[in-house]
Amino acid sequence: MADIIKLLPDSVANQIAAGEVIQRPASVVKELTENGVDAGSTIIDVIVKDAGKTLIQVTDNGSGMSAPDARLAFERHATSKITSANDLFSINTKGFRGEALASIAAVAMVEMKTREEGADVGTSIKISGSKIESQDHCSCGLGTTLSVKNLFYNIPARRKFLKSDTTEFRHIVNEFQKISLAHPEIKFTLEHNGTEIYNLVPGNHRQRIVGLFGKQINQGLISVETETNLISINGFIGKPESARKTYGEQFFFVNNRFMRHPYFHKAVTEAYQNILPADVIPSYFIYLTANPASIDINIHPTKTEIKFENEREIWQILMASVRESLGRFNIVPSIDFEGEGAVNFPISGKSDFLPEAPRIAIDPTYDPFANKSTYTRDSYIDRFEKENISYWERLFPERKNESAAESEIKTTVAEPERKFMQIKNRYISCPVKSGLLLIDQRRGHERVLYENFMECLNSNGSASQTTLFPVTIELGQDDFLVLKEIKNDLKRIGFDIEYGDDSVITVNGYPSISGSTNIKEVIEILIEEFKSTSNDPSTGVKEKLAAAMASASAIPYGKPLSNIEMETLFDSLFSCSLPNYTPKGKAIVSIITVDELDKRFQ
Ligand code: ADP
Ligand code: MG
């Protein structure tokens, strides 16, 4: 039998290998731009024609190359960046495989002009389909210009499968964004068919983000910053209201290299849980710095996934860090009280700042159950007061003694008085430094209760309030099962329920922190909420239960509130970790700024 195994000609082998690295015009833009970064450039200009199908030209002012190096650069596995396998563990350049230029030269018509420091003349090399066509001296600026024409001219099948210019250019922009975000210290420009698309001046990360995504993104950015010995985290996350339903502004970088990291992505989205609806994706620009020896970037040439040694720990740190930033933003923004009535806001994450315990004061004329009969007003006030204090203590144990002292002077009305006003028995308003703060009363209470219930579910549980008479409720079989499934968690938040035969339950006690006494209604709402959210896997049982309970027992619209009640709600709300949004992502707080007010009176 004749030998049938033949060695492929070099040119074919090169084309096949090239296909791995160069899949579309955007891959060329990526490789050439990264080479510019690796060469220590401070300016990189990218010019593209017809979405890169006709021309991609990248000019940098970096190190340039000597004549022999310029020639060698096009050899496969020619790289100046690593010399031994050991170097793979301390990579701080973009490229290191030495494949990009060889691959590009295999599938396009390439011209390179380069000059290094100290050389009088530069080198010009023309190479097409891996064949050197010419090498000459030339006069050119310091640095390197690479022009790549007619990509895939020699692989018609490949060229045919390129997508529309719009799509291919979108890919180019995406690569350009990743590299320019990783290196805000470098000036980048991008031109397409003669039109300047980006002109990014050197600056910090925030300026670079604004340069790419426009001025309006600026006020939607919240900074993230955490320093640990495993990892340091820097950058920005988007405010919840700037999140969208599509991907696009999610960027992770490690050691100034863009990476995809689905697992860390989950850490970020997890931090937004219960302030964003499940189908909305927050934007983020997060820069990680890790010891190069603790990460593995040596996988597939075009893959941007990176492995970390301590992935689980970093996940936790990242998630906590994003959460902390969200919390800080939620409280700090422009709510800043004027004059004597100034309130100290608890700023989470700043350990040297201990919040003041809210003053517990009760309006003696308020009777929340005027129309209902189970409780006397006094017992309610008493309970309300105790609960508020213990809630506060749980949140800020350091303040325990002071709030205990406070409880002895219960009915003293606090000084100085802040001014609250209820609008339409629906909104609570209060003047603040930057304008007029408005709180949706029901949503605000929902957030307070939610965090309260979550506390209970995560700790030893909460006190149960015994019902005067056991309440018996007949349920449908389905509903009965729904309830039974969560029975342990129900118990933990303070429900005392007997599950009888024939789907009948008897409620002997209910959570003392819930505002509502209509047990039947609470149970029904609870079941409904649970049924409607039970298909959503992103929320845990505890979160669902806490959200359902909060929704079932929050004060309704239409309920008049006294000044003291508004104040108490206000204080509890702003001691929450995320006071701006309900567990389902609805806005709770809004500020009408002085500017907006001024405009109305122009
Ligand atoms: P890699 O970047 O993986 O080393 P490339 O094929 O992209 O491989 O480049 C090969 C070599 O050519 C690089 O290691 C570098 O020494 C040199 N080189 C490529 N582009 C430039 C440039 N713009 N400026 C200076 N040197 C360059
Ligand atoms: Mg390279």
Side-chain angles (χ1 to χ4, degrees):
M1 198 168 141
D3 293 343
I4 52 167
I5 298 180
K6 296 190 192 80
L7 282 176
L8 286 173
D10 259 7
S11 60
V12 179
N14 272 341
Q15 278 185 14
I16 293 171
E20 299 247 304
V21 187
I22 306 301
Q23 290 156 339
R24 53 178 9 132
S27 333
V28 176
V29 171
K30 170 181 188 281
E31 294 298 338
L32 297 187
T33 312
E34 287 189 345
N35 279 350
V37 173
D38 286 345
S41 314
T42 57
I43 302 174
I44 298 177
D45 298 313
V46 182
I47 294 174
V48 169
K49 288 214 174 97
D50 305 318
K53 293 169 186 171
T54 311
L55 172 77
I56 296 163
Q57 180 182 304
V58 177
T59 302
D60 67 52
N61 67 347
S63 65
M65 282 169 269
S66 67
D69 277 356
R71 172 68 194 81
L72 260 181
F74 289 100
E75 295 292 330
R76 194 160 293 279
H77 304 303
T79 177
S80 57
K81 296 164 193 173
I82 60 173
T83 51
S84 77
N86 255 349
D87 295 346
L88 283 174
F89 300 102
S90 55
I91 286 166
N92 51 25
T93 53
K94 308 288 145 213
F96 56 87
R97 298 182 190 86
E99 286 181 300
L101 289 187
S103 300
I104 294 169
V107 296
M109 302 170 176
V110 177
E111 180 176 359
M112 177 162 87
K113 285 186 174 173
T114 185
R115 182 165 71 87
E116 61 176 353
E117 181 94 59
D120 296 332
V121 289
T123 307
S124 153
I125 292 182
K126 284 188 181 162
I127 176 168
S128 294
S130 302
K131 276 195 206 68
I132 304 270
E133 292 182 338
S134 68
Q135 175 159 1
D136 295 303
H137 296 303
C138 72
S139 77
C140 60
L142 218 58
T144 306
T145 296
L146 256 139
S147 311
V148 176
K149 289 182 185 156
N150 306 323
L151 183 66
F152 299 136
Y153 78 100
N154 52 353
I155 319 179
R158 193 121 203 174
R159 190 162 172 97
K160 211 169 79 191
F161 281 105
L162 288 178
K163 300 278 189 294
S164 70
D165 282 10
T166 317
T167 302
E168 292 300 341
F169 188 65
R170 195 157 37 83
H171 285 288
I172 290 177
V173 166
N174 196 241
E175 290 302 337
F176 182 86
Q177 287 176 345
K178 289 171 187 171
I179 302 169
S180 58
L181 278 171
H183 292 279
E185 76 282 3
I186 299 176
K187 176 177 194 282
F188 286 93
T189 64
L190 174 63
E191 185 190 301
H192 187 210
N193 293 339
T195 308
E196 182 181 276
I197 309 293
Y198 292 113
N199 185 344
L200 306 171
V201 295
N204 58 27
H205 285 141
R206 186 189 274 271
Q207 288 161 331
R208 182 50 50 95
I209 295 167
V210 170
L212 282 167
F213 299 100
K215 280 202 193 84
Q216 72 283 359
I217 199 174
N218 193 25
Q219 52 190 0
L221 297 175
I222 309 168
S223 70
V224 182
E225 221 182 308
T226 297
E227 193 78 47
T228 70
N229 49 9
L230 278 185
I231 193 101
S232 99
I233 302 172
N234 251 290
F236 299 92
I237 53 171
K239 288 183 187 171
E241 57 263 42
S242 62
R244 311 216 187 109
K245 288 199 176 180
T246 50
Y247 284 90
E249 288 166 10
Q250 289 77 34
F251 295 91
F252 276 127
F253 301 91
V254 60
N255 300 350
N256 297 327
R257 172 192 292 273
F258 171 82
M259 67 166 180
R260 266 177 43 79
H261 210 296
Y263 182 58
F264 288 168
H265 172 78
K266 195 88 188 40
V268 176
T269 51
E270 186 91 2
Y272 279 84
Q273 207 189 34
N274 296 311
I275 55 169
L276 273 188
D279 58 342
V280 172
I281 312 144
S283 40
Y284 56 82
F285 306 86
I286 294 178
Y287 297 84
L288 306 175
T289 312
N291 178 354
S294 73
I295 62 178
D296 182 3
I297 49 181
N298 182 28
I299 31 182
H300 193 269
T302 57
K303 293 249 168 77
T304 45
E305 276 94 356
I306 288 180
K307 281 214 182 79
F308 285 72
E309 220 170 73
N310 304 293
E311 226 151 59
R312 283 164 157 272
E313 289 82 353
I314 295 172
W315 195 98
Q316 293 292 345
I317 297 167
L318 180 60
M319 145 63 171
S321 163
V322 172
R323 196 159 263 185
E324 195 230 278
S325 293
L326 278 171
R328 190 156 28 84
F329 143 72
N330 268 302
I331 297 164
V332 176
S334 36
I335 308 169
D336 188 2
F337 282 82
E338 287 195 295
E340 299 206 282
V343 187
N344 280 326
F345 282 96
I347 300 171
S348 67
K350 287 201 176 165
S351 53
D352 56 338
F353 183 96
L354 276 180
E356 297 292 322
R359 288 146 301 170
I360 306 300
I362 295 300
D363 175 3
T365 63
Y366 171 55
D367 183 353
F369 302 113
N371 310 318
K372 299 171 185 171
S373 56
T374 335
Y375 288 100
T376 63
R377 191 197 66 217
D378 284 351
S379 79
Y380 176 81
I381 289 175
D382 215 44
R383 198 180 80 215
F384 187 63
E385 199 168 25
K386 278 197 198 108
E387 274 306 324
N388 261 290
I389 291 167
S390 70
Y391 170 63
W392 193 255
E393 282 170 2
R394 278 198 302 276
L395 276 177
F396 300 103
E398 303 91 317
R399 285 283 144 149
K400 192 169 177 144
N401 295 338
E402 277 155 69
S403 40
E406 205 123 18
S407 67
E408 284 161 21
I409 40 162
K410 22 180 150 181
T411 43
T412 322
V413 172
E415 286 290 334
E417 214 171 346
R418 279 169 290 168
K419 295 173 206 76
F420 293 99
M421 211 171 69
Q422 199 183 15
I423 303 171
K424 283 267 179 194
N425 291 343
R426 187 182 178 95
Y427 300 107
I428 298 169
S429 71
C430 173
V432 292
K433 203 174 214 161
S434 55
L436 184 66
L437 174 81
L438 293 166
I439 298 171
D440 180 305
Q441 68 183 47
R442 183 180 150 73
R443 291 181 186 177
H445 195 209
E446 214 177 311
R447 167 51 69 180
V448 171
L449 290 173
Y450 173 78
E451 296 209 357
N452 230 322
F453 284 122
M454 278 310 288
E455 284 263 324
C456 301
L457 286 167
N458 287 326
S459 62
N460 307 326
S462 90
S464 179
Q465 173 82 30
T466 317
T467 54
L468 264 187
F469 306 102
V471 179
T472 308
I473 308 171
E474 234 174 279
L475 296 172
Q477 174 81 12
D478 283 9
D479 294 355
F480 183 74
L481 291 177
V482 166
L483 213 60
K484 242 185 139 174
E485 227 167 83
I486 51 170
K487 104 182 188 200
N488 289 338
D489 285 319
L490 283 172
K491 195 166 171 198
R492 186 163 298 151
I493 60 170
F495 274 106
D496 177 1
I497 300 177
E498 280 170 47
Y499 301 83
D501 298 331
D502 294 332
S503 310
V504 171
I505 60 163
T506 308
V507 184
N508 298 314
Y510 67 98
S512 47
I513 52 176
S514 68
S516 176
T517 48
N518 190 338
I519 292 165
K520 188 156 185 281
E521 194 181 307
V522 169
I523 296 279
E524 275 166 8
I525 295 177
L526 195 65
I527 292 170
E528 260 334 291
E529 289 271 330
F530 239 80
K531 274 189 183 161
S532 65
T533 58
S534 64
N535 297 329
D536 172 7
S538 68
T539 328
V541 173
K542 284 179 187 169
E543 283 81 4
K544 265 183 227 165
L545 180 58
M549 275 303 293
S551 158
S553 30
I555 46 166
Y557 295 124
K559 185 175 193 57
L561 299 173
S562 69
N563 196 59
I564 310 272
E565 286 167 318
M566 290 191 270
E567 186 170 22
T568 308
L569 176 57
F570 180 92
D571 283 334
S572 328
L573 177 63
F574 285 103
S575 67
C576 284
S577 65
L578 298 164
N580 271 16
Y581 298 92
T582 67
K584 289 194 180 125
K586 297 237 169 74
I588 295 171
V589 181
S590 179
I591 292 177
I592 302 176
T593 64
V594 178
D595 276 0
E596 285 171 67
L597 289 173
D598 286 347
K599 273 196 199 119
R600 282 164 192 262
F601 291 99
Q602 263 167 16

